[in-house]
Amino acid sequence: GSWRCMYIIEGERADDWFGNAVYCAGDVDGDGRSELLVTAEYGGPSRAGRVYVFDFPEPTPMQSYPVRLLAARDAYVTIDGQFSGDRFGHSLTEVGDLNGDGLRDLVIGAFGRDGRGANSGRAYIVSMPTPEVVSAAAGPLRLRAEQDSEHLRYYITGDAREKLAHFLIEAPDMDGGGAIDLIVTAFEHDGAAGVNSGGVWVYFLENLGVDSVVQAADFNLDGQVNGGDLSILMAMAGSECHGDAC
């Protein structure tokens, strides 16, 4: 067989870093088709970062399909970070249906978010709007990660200077609890081994409960070498195994 480019998508603005992360998601909005998620970690009105969700028409035979040029603004849903420097969308993955609406939920990382001090980092678990909500919007649906409480399910915040959520990895059900689990890394975590030894946190998502703020991981691993950045090594291994787009 042969490969052919079907779409080219270009960013909205200089220095947005559009395409920093790309994720071919399952059906996250209930329309029966898979979606393409593309991030621009300096995108959005305040350069906090933006995630774009693209939907594509049913495929046609490749020999009759011309290359189509799209712009980032053609996304039918965008999700923006909160503050300049958050780097919202640096990492991205999807997890199972956590709120029972029949749709898979997204996890979006912003390792520059100042939650518990500078560069503590934050991971957002977001529920996508249904097709009915999208179709009722006048044009593309624009969401803010921390202001649209209907779609923000949970968030996880690191400690100062940890840069939590530099990588996010969807993991199989490691504890047998019946839900997909989530691995979150913090590559500048200061563990017992010293400065920037790194850390990896594992969350069993069936244990999240009703509070939107996730307080603690179910277990974590610390790096063993001062400056060794365990989290980067773990994330590289995880992305190879689980198809993470970071």
Side-chain angles (χ1 to χ4, degrees):
S2 60
W3 294 90
R4 180 179 175 184
C5 177
M6 299 175 68
Y7 293 93
I8 298 173
I9 310 174
E10 295 184 340
E12 290 188 89
R13 184 176 54 186
D15 298 320
D16 272 4
W17 286 26
F18 180 78
N20 173 78
V22 178
Y23 195 91
C24 295
D27 181 13
V28 296
D29 65 355
D31 66 354
R33 298 192 297 268
S34 295
E35 278 71 49
L36 176 68
L37 282 66
V38 184
T39 76
E41 65 178 88
Y42 291 106
S46 62
R47 292 199 178 274
R50 173 173 281 181
V51 176
Y52 301 81
V53 184
F54 295 92
D55 205 358
F56 295 101
E58 293 296 329
T60 59
M62 292 187 65
Q63 63 268 22
S64 63
Y65 202 102
V67 176
R68 184 179 176 189
L69 179 63
L70 301 178
R73 62 178 175 272
D74 293 319
Y76 76 102
V77 176
T78 62
I79 310 170
D80 287 344
Q82 192 72 8
F83 299 110
S84 177
D86 280 1
R87 301 185 76 170
F88 180 82
H90 176 83
S91 54
L92 181 69
T93 191
E94 61 175 336
V95 289
D97 177 15
L98 301 180
N99 63 336
D101 65 355
L103 305 178
R104 290 175 64 84
D105 299 318
L106 306 178
V107 188
I108 303 170
F111 75 84
R113 179 73 170 91
D114 298 340
R116 294 195 188 117
N119 291 327
S120 53
R122 180 168 286 178
Y124 301 84
I125 301 178
V126 178
S127 178
M128 280 288 293
T130 63
E132 292 76 18
V133 172
V134 173
S135 62
L141 186 62
R142 309 302 188 195
L143 304 177
R144 292 289 298 273
E146 295 191 21
Q147 295 177 1
D148 290 285
S149 58
E150 178 182 355
H151 302 292
L152 174 63
R153 310 310 306 176
Y154 306 94
Y155 62 85
I156 304 166
T157 303
D159 292 326
R161 299 182 302 280
E162 280 190 336
K163 296 186 177 178
L164 185 87
H166 189 264
F167 288 94
L168 300 168
I169 302 167
E170 175 192 2
D173 182 9
M174 294 186 289
D175 66 333
I180 289 174
D181 300 320
L182 177 66
I183 300 172
V184 183
T185 76
F187 73 103
E188 291 192 5
H189 168 69
D190 296 342
V195 175
N196 293 346
S197 51
V200 175
W201 283 259
V202 180
Y203 296 86
F204 300 148
L205 297 184
E206 72 274 6
N207 296 335
L208 289 180
V210 297
D211 189 356
S212 63
V213 180
V214 181
Q215 301 293 346
D218 290 282
F219 70 87
N220 67 282
L221 303 172
D222 277 350
Q224 297 299 310
V225 180
N226 185 15
D229 287 346
L230 166 75
S231 65
I232 292 181
L233 297 177
M234 287 288 289
M236 290 172 65
S239 64
E240 180 178 344
C241 295
H242 301 293
D244 188 70
C246 308

